[in-house]
Amino acid sequence: MSQKGELYLIGFGPGSHDHLTFRAKKAIEQANVVVGYRTYIELVADLLEGKEIISTGMTEEIDRARSAVERAQKGDRVALVSSGDVGIYGMAGLVFEILSDMKWTPEGSDFSVEVIPGITALSAVSSLVGASLTHDFVAVSLSDLLTPWPVIEKRLHAAGQGDFVVALYNPQSKRRNWQLQKAQDVLLTYKKPDTPVAVVKSAYREGQRVVLTTLDQMAQAEVGMLTTILIGNDSTFRYLDFLITPRGYSGKYDLDSGEILHKGIDRPGLSLNRPPDFNVLKQQN
Ligand code: SAH
């Protein structure tokens, strides 16, 4: 094949076709070779008729990335498919490591590369429980297969200290069965035991399950490979089956009229969540 190859790195969202972007769908249609983890291939199977499919098991990520790059190099139009966003705990990292090793450049190489974003698990999951991510948040993966546990634990401490809403990816599997309890213990040193938590399995896929609980009960929930967990910040509250994280406006704005309330030293543009010693600093300056 002498034509220039194309490599599409595609995140197809949480699973349902309604949440697949137009660009992702078009790129899958354009491809003649589709590469992906077996389960992912199954999720987009109906778009793959007539295409060559290279599907592999979960632990064969490097092989998958290599074969995608090799086929693009040979002139194929290759779609490497991945759930959620391909750049978030996804295959894009591995592929770009290979590209940088081989000194690939957009202009000078025999194939093009396009990264196509998708709806990542944390936003899919959050959409099922209302509005939990409307203030600062962090994502932490509890998988210590590629990251040493002390690094993960350090980040959990930082997330707790910063009062972030926390999204836990890869919270538990059959083999990784103690990390979730440990994460709960770390976060409980900063967050209240009754901090609202959403445990969501298979968002927008068959078998979707949403369970609302609290931080002190989190590790007791049924949690597996396809679960993402959202843990509130200090002001997150539960209303019906929703988790709501206020944006910090109540008390600063009248929610009905939208007018700014001048209370104490609060002025427009100042956060209500200022550090405790803010008043002291203000007076000194
Ligand atoms: N690239 C993916 C994440 C891959 S890591 C993304 O952007 O979403 C795998 C983890 O993602 C799982 O352990 C789980 O925590 C989360 N996940 C992926 N799809 C999910 C879904 N449909 N529902 C809930 N969590 C999901």
Side-chain angles (χ1 to χ4, degrees):
M1 239 187 257
S2 57
Q3 83 206 52
K4 187 165 167 153
E6 293 162 24
L7 176 57
Y8 300 107
L9 308 181
I10 303 174
F12 59 73
S16 79
H17 283 10
D18 282 351
H19 297 91
L20 178 75
T21 66
F22 283 107
R23 183 68 197 121
K25 186 158 183 261
K26 213 167 115 196
I28 293 174
E29 282 163 3
Q30 273 168 7
N32 64 305
V33 178
V34 178
V35 183
Y37 168 45
R38 223 163 273 130
T39 315
Y40 297 163
I41 293 283
E42 279 161 25
L43 282 169
V44 287
D46 55 323
L47 302 175
L48 306 184
E49 214 173 297
K51 299 179 194 298
E52 182 185 343
I53 294 170
I54 304 177
S55 72
T56 55
M58 185 132 93
T59 51
E60 297 148 63
E61 289 197 326
I62 297 178
D63 293 347
R64 217 149 55 214
R66 285 231 174 84
S67 40
V69 170
E70 278 164 20
R71 293 301 297 264
Q73 231 171 346
K74 286 190 183 140
D76 283 303
R77 295 180 308 281
V78 183
L80 178 65
V81 296
S82 185
S83 81
D85 185 303
V86 65
I88 298 181
Y89 304 119
M91 294 286 292
L94 210 43
V95 171
F96 269 85
E97 284 177 53
I98 294 172
L99 293 176
S100 71
D101 279 351
M102 63 193 271
K103 311 261 183 283
W104 172 88
T105 57
E107 296 80 24
S109 299
D110 39 13
F111 63 100
S112 62
V113 178
E114 181 181 340
V115 184
I116 299 170
I119 298 174
T120 188
L122 68 78
S123 70
V125 161
S126 150
S127 74
L128 292 171
V129 291
S132 56
L133 297 177
T134 37
H135 213 294
D136 299 335
F137 63 89
V138 296
V140 180
S141 165
L142 294 191
S143 172
D144 56 356
L145 298 179
L146 298 172
T147 308
W149 179 257
V151 173
I152 298 172
E153 194 169 325
K154 192 172 99 182
R155 291 181 183 166
L156 288 168
H157 276 284
Q161 244 157 22
D163 189 30
F164 288 98
V165 175
V166 180
L168 297 179
Y169 282 73
N170 299 301
Q172 190 155 278
S173 71
K174 282 205 181 77
R175 274 185 302 151
R176 293 184 297 99
N177 53 14
W178 52 265
Q179 288 84 348
L180 185 60
Q181 179 65 55
K182 187 75 196 152
Q184 174 177 317
D185 295 343
V186 170
L187 291 173
L188 275 173
T189 56
Y190 307 95
K191 292 177 181 286
K192 294 174 292 198
D194 63 349
T195 301
V197 167
V199 178
V200 182
K201 184 181 155 234
S202 299
Y204 298 105
R205 286 190 202 180
E206 209 182 307
Q208 172 180 300
R209 203 162 138 251
V210 179
V211 173
L212 297 186
T213 179
T214 51
L215 183 56
D216 59 345
Q217 302 293 317
M218 178 175 78
Q220 267 76 61
E222 196 190 309
V223 172
M225 294 273 285
L226 264 177
T227 306
T228 299
I229 300 181
L230 299 176
I231 304 161
N233 70 12
D234 190 45
S235 51
T236 304
F237 63 96
R238 180 170 169 179
Y239 166 69
L240 306 174
D241 286 335
F242 302 110
L243 293 196
I244 303 172
T245 302
R247 290 208 59 194
Y249 294 158
S250 60
K252 186 169 160 191
Y253 296 103
D254 183 317
L255 287 178
D256 291 327
S257 69
E259 262 177 55
I260 295 159
L261 303 171
H262 291 275
K263 287 200 299 194
I265 63 154
D266 275 339
R267 277 188 278 117
L270 287 180
S271 165
L272 279 180
N273 296 332
R274 57 183 180 260
D277 56 354
F278 180 87
N279 287 332
V280 179
L281 289 174
K282 248 351 239 185
Q283 280 154 17
Q284 282 169 352
N285 293 338

